[in-house]
Amino acid sequence: MTTDGMNNAAPTSLPASLSDYELTQASGRGDMKAFETIYERHHRRVYSLCLRMVANATEAEDLAQEVFIQLFRKIGSFRGESAFTTWLHRLTVNHVLMHFRKRGVRLEKTTEEGEIGEIQDYLQSAADRPRFVDRIALDKAISELPPGYRTVFVLHDVEGFEHEEVADMLGVSVGTSKSQLHKARMRLRELLNKKTDKKTETKKTESKK
Amino acid sequence: MECHAVINSLSDYLDGQNVWISDDEAKQIETHLTNCPTCQNFKLELNEIKIAARELPLHTPPRAMWTRIANQIEAEIAAENGPLRHAQNASGWWGWLRSRRFTFSLPQLAGGAAVAVALIVAAISGIFGPHSGTLNLSGVQTALLPEEDEIKADLERRLNAVNARKAQWDAQRRAEFEQHMTRIDESLKRCRYMLGDNPKDAIQQQMVRALYTEKRQLLEDVERLRW
Ligand SMILES: [Zn+2]
């Protein structure tokens, strides 16, 4: 996990052998070089998390930037009791959720109607599909989810939080978290299949020529 | 079991059969899946999505992001401290304090021994930018932690002791102290607001506790310094 972003790390970084904890200690004493190394290790993951949650590159950049500034302010309070990545991810999630709150996004009210009807449509066309979920396509499809579904999906399936944690973070019940997740997956499946259908159609048209 | 009931239970089935659904239900679903290619297909696809979600590619932000971060941090440090520098003497409890927290010295306050004032983890919640003023933080008055009333009473006692001596301080020392107290109190207000929203949030509880600890430590430091 700590190797993230190291392949494009700045040449001025501290020895890669320093642990995250050692780096946080040094950063806490105001060592910017150490903090830059932490940034190099984690910025892609933090940025990706923000991007997946807000589905907007500019917003994600602003948020990730704020996260690292907050991180610097409070890094001295990291005691190493939990994994640094866990702590940082939680910080990031909190920051994004606060951003949602300021914008007035109410996660639990974004449930959509009509999912049963959509299931029926797919019962007809579920046969011979490629048995592979393209990661890039999935990433794209996540950004097309309604915010409520997206948040739960990113927290649970992408970031690996448990339903109990997701529910606590969002201030909803475990049942809501579970049903939002299921709906999110169903919607993603639908979005991915639509994409696959389009591709197949294009191919058919091309081969007719 | 009907298709639509099976499909609605698929996430529970995939995420932990012993947690969200009983063995009995799981068996029913499995029986259905072996006989129904459509539902079987749903199961496979949802499972693929679940697996692929853990292997998504990472995105890289523009390189300029680091420059902006570094610039802002440096500007903040400069603005907050002006002429202040890191403490020179790392001996005794003071050295310990410095290793414990991010600190700045106030060389103009003391003669020989450098006096440092800890820069408290002001934005400890990590979620409050400069714009958080738009929130109504007027605050939850009831205790949000089981020990909160006790903590508050202890802090009030310490604060009263410090307040009694404050009249003898010079203006700058008083300003420094007030500034730190205000920062902690504002962070506390915001963290408690968040906690009030989700009282079960363990990490938010931890943050509130950490802020109370910082406040106590600041008051203790002042007592120990015999300001
Ligand atoms: Zn079926």
Side-chain angles (χ1 to χ4, degrees), chain A residues 1 4-5 8-11 25 27-32 35-36 39-40 43-45 47-48 51-52 60-62 64-70 72-77 79 81 87 90-91 93-99 101-102 106 116 119-120 122-124 126-127 129-133 135-136 138-139 142 153 156-160 163-164 167-172 174 178 181-182 185-186 188-189 192-193, chain B residues 3-4 6-12 14-15 19-21 36-74 76-77 80 86 98-103 119-135 137 183 190 193-194 197-198 200-204 206-207 210 213-214 217:
Chain A
M1 256 204 164
D4 288 334
N8 59 2
Q25 297 299 99
S27 304
R29 292 189 292 271
D31 182 339
M32 278 300 273
F35 189 66
E36 189 173 358
Y39 176 83
E40 290 300 340
H43 73 290
R44 297 176 74 218
R45 197 163 281 279
Y47 174 71
S48 300
L51 184 60
R52 289 204 176 96
E61 229 185 282
D62 286 347
Q65 190 176 321
E66 286 157 20
V67 165
F68 277 101
I69 289 162
Q70 302 280 13
F72 186 81
R73 290 184 190 142
K74 57 175 291 197
I75 201 158
S77 71
R79 299 278 189 269
E81 287 147 0
W87 191 74
R90 188 51 216 266
L91 192 76
V93 169
N94 272 358
H95 195 77
V96 177
L97 292 179
M98 194 62 188
H99 169 76
R101 245 169 243 238
K102 281 184 209 160
R106 297 301 299 180
I116 301 298
I119 290 175
Q120 292 303 332
Y122 276 98
L123 292 178
Q124 266 95 57
R129 291 235 157 66
R131 281 287 147 77
F132 175 67
V133 173
R135 270 82 182 136
I136 312 273
L138 176 60
D139 205 20
I142 293 170
F153 183 82
H156 188 281
D157 276 8
V158 180
E159 294 299 317
H163 278 302
E164 288 84 352
D168 281 354
M169 280 185 242
L170 301 181
V172 299
V174 169
K178 280 170 56 197
L181 176 70
H182 182 64
R185 287 175 179 167
M186 293 292 282
L188 286 170
R189 180 190 164 280
L192 290 168
N193 278 327
Chain B
C3 288
H4 125 108
V6 170
I7 288 168
N8 277 341
S9 308
L10 278 178
S11 282
D12 284 349
L14 293 171
D15 291 341
V19 188
W20 303 124
I21 56 175
C36 177
T38 308
C39 286
Q40 175 67 11
N41 200 50
F42 261 92
K43 189 205 103 179
L44 292 176
E45 290 185 346
L46 291 187
N47 197 38
E48 276 182 45
I49 289 171
K50 179 184 147 107
I51 292 166
R54 297 313 305 265
E55 300 163 352
L56 291 177
L58 288 181
H59 296 268
T60 307
R63 202 83 188 92
M65 197 165 105
W66 168 251
T67 315
R68 288 199 300 269
I69 291 169
N71 285 347
Q72 191 172 332
I73 289 173
E74 270 151 29
E76 272 182 29
I77 292 177
E80 270 172 21
H86 289 243
R98 259 182 41 244
S99 66
R100 187 163 58 95
R101 289 183 265 168
F102 195 86
T103 57
L119 175 71
I120 309 299
V121 281
I124 187 154
S125 61
I127 44 183
F128 308 106
H131 315 297
S132 56
T134 51
L135 285 170
L137 299 173
R183 289 183 66 165
R190 290 161 179 162
Y193 167 82
M194 289 289 277
D197 246 19
N198 294 323
K200 287 187 302 180
D201 190 333
I203 304 235
Q204 209 60 249
Q206 226 172 298
M207 287 173 172
T213 306
E214 292 295 344
Q217 282 170 344

Side-chain angles (χ1 to χ4, degrees), chain B:
Chain B
M1 222 174 165
E2 287 184 24
C3 288
H4 125 108
V6 170
I7 288 168
N8 277 341
S9 308
L10 278 178
S11 282
D12 284 349
Y13 176 78
L14 293 171
D15 291 341
Q17 303 177 17
N18 296 320
V19 188
W20 303 124
I21 56 175
S22 65
D23 286 353
D24 202 42
E25 268 178 294
K27 275 206 188 84
Q28 285 183 48
I29 291 172
E30 273 154 26
T31 313
H32 182 97
L33 289 176
T34 45
N35 298 314
C36 177
T38 308
C39 286
Q40 175 67 11
N41 200 50
F42 261 92
K43 189 205 103 179
L44 292 176
E45 290 185 346
L46 291 187
N47 197 38
E48 276 182 45
I49 289 171
K50 179 184 147 107
I51 292 166
R54 297 313 305 265
E55 300 163 352
L56 291 177
L58 288 181
H59 296 268
T60 307
R63 202 83 188 92
M65 197 165 105
W66 168 251
T67 315
R68 288 199 300 269
I69 291 169
N71 285 347
Q72 191 172 332
I73 289 173
E74 270 151 29
E76 272 182 29
I77 292 177
E80 270 172 21
N81 303 290
L84 308 186
R85 258 174 266 117
H86 289 243
Q88 304 292 312
N89 288 347
S91 57
W93 72 269
W94 202 235
W96 164 80
L97 175 71
R98 259 182 41 244
S99 66
R100 187 163 58 95
R101 289 183 265 168
F102 195 86
T103 57
F104 296 96
S105 66
L106 280 172
Q108 67 272 45
L109 285 189
V115 175
V117 172
L119 175 71
I120 309 299
V121 281
I124 187 154
S125 61
I127 44 183
F128 308 106
H131 315 297
S132 56
T134 51
L135 285 170
N136 175 16
L137 299 173
S138 53
V140 191
Q141 293 310 318
T142 49
L144 294 170
L145 302 169
E147 74 276 28
E148 194 172 26
D149 288 335
E150 211 176 307
I151 295 176
K152 277 186 177 163
D154 173 62
L155 287 175
E156 204 180 320
R157 191 181 53 73
R158 288 174 193 277
L159 186 61
N160 286 340
V162 170
N163 279 340
R165 288 205 306 273
K166 229 164 47 177
Q168 296 152 29
W169 297 358
D170 64 35
Q172 186 167 7
R173 182 180 291 185
R174 203 158 28 220
E176 276 294 334
F177 175 78
E178 300 292 355
Q179 187 196 332
H180 284 85
M181 283 302 274
T182 309
R183 289 183 66 165
I184 300 174
D185 282 339
E186 274 171 12
S187 296
L188 251 176
K189 217 193 274 175
R190 290 161 179 162
C191 273
R192 289 187 80 255
Y193 167 82
M194 289 289 277
L195 185 59
D197 246 19
N198 294 323
K200 287 187 302 180
D201 190 333
I203 304 235
Q204 209 60 249
Q205 286 175 359
Q206 226 172 298
M207 287 173 172
V208 170
R209 284 202 178 92
L211 278 167
Y212 276 128
T213 306
E214 292 295 344
K215 188 165 175 174
R216 199 196 64 227
Q217 282 170 344
L218 175 64
L219 292 168
E220 271 177 6
D221 292 348
V222 171
E223 281 168 42
R224 257 186 284 200
L225 278 170
R226 295 180 201 291
W227 272 10

Side-chain angles (χ1 to χ4, degrees), chain A:
Chain A
M1 256 204 164
T2 50
T3 56
D4 288 334
M6 286 307 279
N7 45 354
N8 59 2
T12 51
S13 291
L14 293 179
S17 58
L18 284 182
S19 72
D20 280 346
Y21 182 67
E22 288 166 311
L23 290 170
T24 61
Q25 297 299 99
S27 304
R29 292 189 292 271
D31 182 339
M32 278 300 273
K33 211 77 298 111
F35 189 66
E36 189 173 358
T37 308
I38 289 179
Y39 176 83
E40 290 300 340
R41 281 185 192 176
H42 299 282
H43 73 290
R44 297 176 74 218
R45 197 163 281 279
V46 167
Y47 174 71
S48 300
L49 173 52
C50 293
L51 184 60
R52 289 204 176 96
M53 286 180 81
V54 300
N56 174 304
T58 317
E59 257 176 75
E61 229 185 282
D62 286 347
L63 287 168
Q65 190 176 321
E66 286 157 20
V67 165
F68 277 101
I69 289 162
Q70 302 280 13
L71 175 67
F72 186 81
R73 290 184 190 142
K74 57 175 291 197
I75 201 158
S77 71
F78 175 66
R79 299 278 189 269
E81 287 147 0
S82 58
F84 178 72
T85 41
T86 312
W87 191 74
L88 177 57
H89 288 185
R90 188 51 216 266
L91 192 76
T92 309
V93 169
N94 272 358
H95 195 77
V96 177
L97 292 179
M98 194 62 188
H99 169 76
F100 284 161
R101 245 169 243 238
K102 281 184 209 160
R103 282 198 334 196
V105 176
R106 297 301 299 180
L107 299 164
E108 63 273 35
K109 284 186 186 163
T110 51
T111 319
E112 297 199 346
E113 308 296 324
E115 63 267 7
I116 301 298
E118 284 157 13
I119 290 175
Q120 292 303 332
D121 294 343
Y122 276 98
L123 292 178
Q124 266 95 57
S125 61
D128 58 3
R129 291 235 157 66
R131 281 287 147 77
F132 175 67
V133 173
D134 181 291
R135 270 82 182 136
I136 312 273
L138 176 60
D139 205 20
K140 173 95 191 354
I142 293 170
S143 71
E144 291 168 30
L145 287 174
Y149 292 1
R150 190 169 61 230
T151 304
V152 174
F153 183 82
V154 170
L155 293 177
H156 188 281
D157 276 8
V158 180
E159 294 299 317
F161 288 104
E162 300 292 338
H163 278 302
E164 288 84 352
E165 296 173 292
V166 176
D168 281 354
M169 280 185 242
L170 301 181
V172 299
S173 68
V174 169
T176 303
S177 173
K178 280 170 56 197
S179 81
Q180 297 274 86
L181 176 70
H182 182 64
K183 285 169 187 165
R185 287 175 179 167
M186 293 292 282
R187 176 55 63 85
L188 286 170
R189 180 190 164 280
E190 190 185 315
L191 289 166
L192 290 168
N193 278 327
K194 263 183 199 153
K195 277 183 186 128
T196 318
D197 287 348
K198 263 187 206 153
K199 264 187 210 159
T200 328
E201 268 168 40
T202 324
K203 269 181 199 156
K204 271 182 200 161
T205 334
E206 277 167 0
S207 59
K208 272 180 195 167
K209 279 178 193 171

